[in-house]
């Protein structure tokens, strides 16, 4: 009887441990997704492929002209890294059961639509879609699609390729 109770407890604790580690991995995936793709957005902005860069995060706040400088860009990248963590967790909880890369790309494009269409009126420095220009539209939509692909594929890889605890470090 004691062995059955012990086995049930260890099985339950392994499942809880697996969920916790999966959330931790999704957090890391979100952080690095934000770091990689917001840094890429900064490079695209500096090379004039897009008229907006990571400083788009600071557009609702009237905090001075420094937000468009290099320090503001790096601070915005750090903010986007933190903002990307709940977005990756949202993807894991809602869309990770789908087995297609198109879901991740669609997730990124939905995020693009949320920023450039829905939130456009609350971002005073962001021009409307008509005035923003084709270069910015295509560059930012591609960056958001690649961000969604990165988040989706990385989380799917973590779930599919490492479903058991044997790849995790022993505690």
């Amino acid at each position: 009887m004691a062995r059955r109770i012990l086995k049930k407890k260890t099985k339950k604790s392994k499942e809880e441990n697996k969920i916790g580690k999966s959330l931790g991995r999704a957090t890391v995936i979100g952080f690095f997704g934000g770091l990689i793709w917001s840094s890429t957005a900064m490079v695209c902005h500096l090379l004039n492929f897009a008229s907006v860069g990571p400083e788009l995060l600071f557009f609702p706040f009237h905090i001075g002209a420094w937000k468009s400088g290099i320090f503001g860009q790096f601070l915005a990248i750090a903010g986007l890294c933190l903002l990307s963590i709940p977005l990756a967790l949202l993807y894991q909880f809602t869309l990770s059961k789908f087995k297609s890369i198109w879901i991740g790309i669609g997730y990124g494009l939905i995020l693009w639509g949320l920023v450039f269409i829905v939130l456009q009126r609350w971002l005073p420095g962001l021009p409307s879609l008509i005035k923003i220009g084709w270069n910015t539209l295509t560059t930012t939509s591609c960056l958001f699609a690649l961000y969604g692909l990165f988040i989706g594929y990385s989380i799917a890889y973590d779930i599919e390729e490492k479903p058991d605890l044997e790849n995790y470090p022993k505690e």
Side-chain angles (χ1 to χ4, degrees), residues 26-90:
T27 302
V28 170
I29 290 168
F31 180 82
F32 281 104
L35 179 66
I36 292 167
W37 296 108
S38 60
S39 298
T40 305
M42 183 179 80
V43 170
C44 289
H45 176 65
L46 293 174
L47 294 174
N48 293 324
F49 288 126
S51 61
V52 293
E55 83 271 4
L56 179 69
L57 182 67
F58 296 136
F59 278 3
F61 310 109
H62 302 288
I63 51 178
W66 62 268
K67 66 183 176 184
S68 295
I70 197 73
F71 177 72
Q73 296 282 350
F74 284 120
L75 193 60
I77 288 172
L80 288 171
C81 289
L82 296 177
L83 183 63
S84 181
I85 292 171
L87 292 174
L89 292 172
L90 177 69

Side-chain angles (χ1 to χ4, degrees), residues 5-18:
I5 293 171
L6 184 61
K7 283 183 181 179
K8 286 182 182 179
K9 283 184 180 180
T10 58
K11 186 176 183 181
K12 186 176 179 181
S13 66
K14 282 184 180 181
E15 289 296 321
E16 291 172 356
N17 195 14
K18 182 179 177 183

Side-chain angles (χ1 to χ4, degrees), residues 91 95-107 148-157 160:
Y91 183 91
L95 300 172
S96 64
K97 59 184 163 260
F98 298 109
K99 308 285 190 239
S100 174
I101 63 169
W102 296 106
I103 300 298
I105 293 171
Y107 182 68
L149 178 65
F150 177 83
I151 295 293
Y153 194 79
S154 298
I155 288 175
Y157 177 79
E160 290 297 317

